[in-house]
Amino acid sequence: AEEKRVELSVHTKMSDDISTISVSDAFDYAVSGGYSAIGFTNLNNVQDFPEIQFFAKRHPELKVIYGAKLLCENDDFGAWTTTLLVKNQNGVKNLYKIISSMTEMGNTKIVNVRDIKKHRENLLIGASGADSDLFGAIHDELPDEEITAIAREYDFFEIFPTNDIKTRFIYKKMVELGSELNIPVIATGDCHYIFKGDEICRNV
């Protein structure tokens, strides 16, 4: 049987990094496309969860994955993003705790990695493509043992669509590293619009 598509990284209009997608449009597109699952990972917030839950009840044929993409930091590394996906209701509670621990940084928010580690039970932690510390470590050609140590902190690696040759090369390294360490590598759409024309609206 043909495998159905899963989109693990949908951003809605509530996302801090600007999206043109409404929750209802995301569900309509996924259902009409015969998707088996859809994951919502807005940047720095989970405000859509009640609306997502409402539509999830109306579409029991579609598995819904709740999550968020967070800007994070630790005490000796620059800011990067990581993707958090919940496994169950306790995971939702832990994600809320992590979101609540975020502090203001300019016009955005940021979470310390220690708060993610403190509440990571029932969550899956992902390296978010070219915005991740893992990507940065490979890009900066850190020693292999340092790259491996960073990689082992994650449950999965996420790679996004790109036409940039250098980015593709680093993604290839991430795929190889995932295979070596037995860590899943997931290609996601990093979706901020549904139709090509909507990209213009997002850019504006």
Side-chain angles (χ1 to χ4, degrees), residues 1 10 14 18 64 72 88 100 114 135 166-167 171 183 196:
V10 174
M14 296 302 296
I18 305 174
V64 176
C72 55
N88 49 40
S100 297
R114 64 174 173 266
F135 184 99
K166 177 68 172 177
T167 300
Y171 280 165
I183 297 174
K196 188 65 179 175

Side-chain angles (χ1 to χ4, degrees), residues 12 14 16 42 44-52 96 109:
T12 72
M14 296 302 296
D16 278 7
N42 280 353
N44 289 347
N45 77 72
V46 291
Q47 295 180 48
D48 277 347
F49 276 17
E51 188 177 3
I52 293 168
Y96 287 164
K109 293 181 178 180

Side-chain angles (χ1 to χ4, degrees), residues 23-171:
V23 172
S24 60
D25 285 346
F27 272 90
D28 288 345
Y29 191 85
V31 171
S32 65
Y35 287 28
S36 62
I38 184 171
F40 290 90
T41 56
N42 280 353
L43 179 65
N44 289 347
N45 77 72
V46 291
Q47 295 180 48
D48 277 347
F49 276 17
E51 188 177 3
I52 293 168
Q53 186 178 37
F54 171 79
F55 283 99
K57 289 179 179 177
R58 296 176 61 178
H59 295 285
E61 75 279 16
L62 185 64
K63 179 176 176 58
V64 176
I65 301 165
Y66 296 82
K69 190 164 292 182
L70 304 182
L71 183 65
C72 55
E73 64 176 356
N74 61 18
D75 299 326
D76 58 3
F77 203 93
W80 69 94
T81 60
T82 186
T83 302
L84 280 64
L85 303 176
V86 307
K87 294 182 180 180
N88 49 40
Q89 191 59 42
N90 286 330
V92 173
K93 293 177 181 177
N94 282 347
L95 180 56
Y96 287 164
K97 290 176 182 176
I98 293 169
I99 293 283
S100 297
S101 74
M102 298 186 82
T103 57
E104 299 288 339
M105 187 185 77
N107 61 352
T108 187
K109 293 181 178 180
I110 195 163
V111 65
N112 196 291
V113 170
R114 64 174 173 266
D115 290 312
I116 294 177
K117 290 181 177 180
K118 180 179 177 181
H119 301 293
R120 74 165 291 157
E121 189 175 1
N122 296 305
L123 294 170
L124 294 174
I125 313 296
S128 302
D131 298 323
S132 68
D133 58 341
L134 178 60
F135 184 99
I138 297 171
H139 177 275
D140 294 342
E141 299 181 350
L142 296 187
D144 288 346
E145 59 269 21
E146 291 186 36
I147 293 174
T148 299
I150 292 171
R152 290 189 186 279
E153 294 291 323
Y154 292 103
D155 299 303
F156 65 94
F157 307 153
E158 194 177 2
I159 58 177
F160 305 147
T162 182
N163 291 320
D164 182 72
I165 299 299
K166 177 68 172 177
T167 300
R168 286 185 175 183
F169 175 78
I170 296 174
Y171 280 165

